């Protein structure tokens, strides 16, 4: 399929944008749900997530005014942080922004094998907002996962899947309603269930 000559000459309508988000201790805030809305196209916005270092990268309209809203997750109705910014025709860095109004939670538990013994080499797959994140367990199968939630009162639903790397199998998903502070998932089985639609792919 020959596309012929493609010109790279001319001006771009967008410019690169970056920012770093931290909490009040200076620690990076990964997996933030960031909404960016251009003033010239109200009610039309796109979302970006911060990476593990709390950094955001996006391409936005040049010579435009924007509103940026930060949420703990996609389920949140009220932003924890809001700011505005203006672009020119040059790359824009918003620098480091401190977000103090996020509500933090922790999900704890332990992975067990079919005989209820601890899984010494395991991972936890946590599913939320249509994304899966992987967390390693300690040699005793224990895990502790930090999360951000919308507020202290409204629960949010996550799914947890235990993964036994030594035996190459996963258990059934465990659904958990989490709130602020510590949420104990208890013993999460990695025992394979023939009735489950879950499969394990090793590559």
């Amino acid at each position: 399929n020959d596309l012929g000559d493609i010109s790279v000459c001319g001006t771009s309508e967008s410019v690169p944008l970056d920012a770093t988000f931290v909490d009040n201790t200076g620690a990076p805030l990964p997996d933030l749900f960031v909404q960016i809305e251009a003033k010239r196209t109200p009610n039309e916005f796109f979302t970006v997530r911060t990476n593990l270092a709390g950094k955001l990268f996006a391409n936005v309209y040049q010579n435009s005014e924007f509103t940026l809203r930060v949420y703990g997750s996609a389920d949140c109705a009220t932003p924890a942080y809001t700011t505005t910014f203006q672009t020119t025709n040059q790359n824009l860095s918003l620098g480091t922004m401190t977000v103090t109004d996020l509500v933090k939670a922790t999900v704890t538990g332990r992975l067990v094998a079919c005989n209820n013994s601890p899984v010494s080499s395991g991972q936890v797959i946590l599913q939320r907002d249509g994304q899966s994140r992987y967390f390693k367990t300690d040699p005793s199968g224990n895990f502790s996962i930090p999360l951000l939630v919308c507020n202290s009162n409204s629960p949010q639903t996550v799914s947890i899947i235990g993964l036994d790397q030594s035996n190459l199998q996963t258990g059934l998903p465990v659904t958990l309603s989490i709130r602020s502070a510590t949420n104990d998932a208890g013993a999460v089985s990695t025992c394979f269930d023939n009735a489950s639609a879950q499969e394990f792919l090793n590559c």
Side-chain angles (χ1 to χ4, degrees), residues 15-19 36 56-60 68 85 87 92-94:
V15 292
L17 168 75
D18 70 81
I36 300 175
L56 172 147
F57 300 96
N59 281 297
V60 295
L68 182 147
F85 64 92
T87 59
L92 177 63
S93 176
L94 299 179

Side-chain angles (χ1 to χ4, degrees), residues 42-61:
N43 300 319
E44 293 182 15
F45 50 82
F46 65 94
T47 56
V48 187
R49 288 185 180 272
T50 56
N51 63 18
L52 291 177
K55 291 188 176 294
L56 172 147
F57 300 96
N59 281 297
V60 295
Y61 296 130

Side-chain angles (χ1 to χ4, degrees), residues 103-159:
V103 180
K104 297 183 178 181
T106 304
V107 177
T108 60
R110 65 190 184 282
L111 296 189
V112 295
C114 294
N115 60 0
N116 285 325
S117 63
V119 174
S120 59
S121 179
Q123 288 189 347
V124 176
I125 307 170
L126 187 140
Q127 298 176 327
R128 184 176 75 153
D129 295 342
Q131 289 195 334
S132 297
R133 294 179 62 195
Y134 288 71
F135 299 87
K136 282 187 174 295
T137 61
D138 68 14
S140 298
N142 298 310
F143 60 87
S144 180
I145 304 171
L147 289 176
L148 298 172
V149 294
C150 298
N151 56 62
S152 302
N153 301 316
S154 301
Q156 290 181 274
T157 301
V158 300
S159 291

